[in-house]
Amino acid sequence: MAAQMKGPPLQTDIDDNDTLEEKLTSKGLKVVELYSEWCGPCKSVIPTLRRIRMDREDVAALEFLTVNADKIEYLDSAVDHRGKSQPMFLLFRNGAVKCKIEGANTPKLGTEIMTWTPPNAEMDDLEDNPLYIAKQEKERIARGELPKEKKAAKKK
């Protein structure tokens, strides 16, 4: 009997907007696989993702996310992808899409992941992440605080 690989799961399934926002506003490369509910995540990319994961020492520098496009409103790409049979992979780093791959093109997916994955997650600066900044602003407003630029204008 073969030994099972221990540790965190290879992919994290995301089915709500808040969890996806939390993941995309953190450091490191996030490989987001968008899929339609009726066909599920792509199984043919699993060996490639597993090989790449085994080559990475800093687990926080690279995370694989599967996102049911039918349940997510947070990404326009998810809404646009609904009902499609082939997966779409979005590579996010520091809050920006660095690459978009349609279909299970494992050679291209592997190359792009290796290109965009930082050696360690601490290389990313959250203050440069537009999704993180938007989240912080939304939280400030929810607490009843003025947005940053309005505070500065009010002081003048």
Side-chain angles (χ1 to χ4, degrees):
M1 192 192 255
Q4 292 268 335
M5 200 167 104
K6 298 289 183 198
L10 181 64
Q11 296 172 296
T12 302
D13 192 38
I14 307 291
D15 61 3
D16 68 272
N17 292 306
D18 292 338
T19 305
L20 181 59
E21 179 184 36
E22 192 66 36
K23 293 291 187 181
L24 296 181
T25 57
S26 62
K27 296 178 179 184
L29 182 71
K30 307 301 181 233
V31 179
V32 177
E33 177 188 348
L34 297 175
Y35 66 91
S36 293
E37 189 163 16
W38 60 272
C39 61
C42 183
K43 291 184 180 6
S44 69
V45 299
I46 298 294
T48 299
L49 301 183
R50 187 171 287 120
R51 179 183 47 78
I52 292 169
R53 165 59 64 218
M54 290 173 63
D55 290 343
R56 296 319 233 168
E57 290 181 23
D58 183 3
V59 176
L62 175 62
E63 193 168 0
F64 301 112
L65 311 173
T66 56
V67 175
N68 182 337
D70 298 317
K71 295 182 178 181
I72 299 293
E73 301 288 330
Y74 184 72
L75 294 175
D76 290 338
S77 297
V79 175
D80 295 342
H81 193 71
R82 290 181 180 160
K84 303 226 171 126
S85 60
Q86 67 179 1
M88 179 189 303
F89 296 90
L90 302 171
L91 280 63
F92 280 86
R93 177 146 177 227
N94 216 22
V97 175
K98 299 299 183 181
C99 181
K100 178 179 170 180
I101 300 169
E102 295 203 36
N105 184 343
T106 54
K108 182 173 183 179
L109 184 61
T111 300
E112 294 295 338
I113 290 171
M114 297 306 283
T115 298
W116 290 107
T117 302
N120 66 63
E122 293 307 311
M123 292 184 69
D124 290 339
D125 184 359
L126 290 177
E127 294 301 321
D128 293 334
N129 182 326
L131 299 175
Y132 176 81
I133 293 167
K135 179 182 174 201
Q136 295 299 311
E137 196 66 19
K138 187 170 70 174
E139 289 172 357
R140 265 192 223 76
I141 292 168
R143 289 190 305 264
E145 299 174 13
L146 291 174
K148 277 188 176 180
E149 59 275 355
K150 294 206 169 134
K151 279 185 181 178
K154 197 173 185 179
K155 287 183 182 178
K156 291 181 181 179

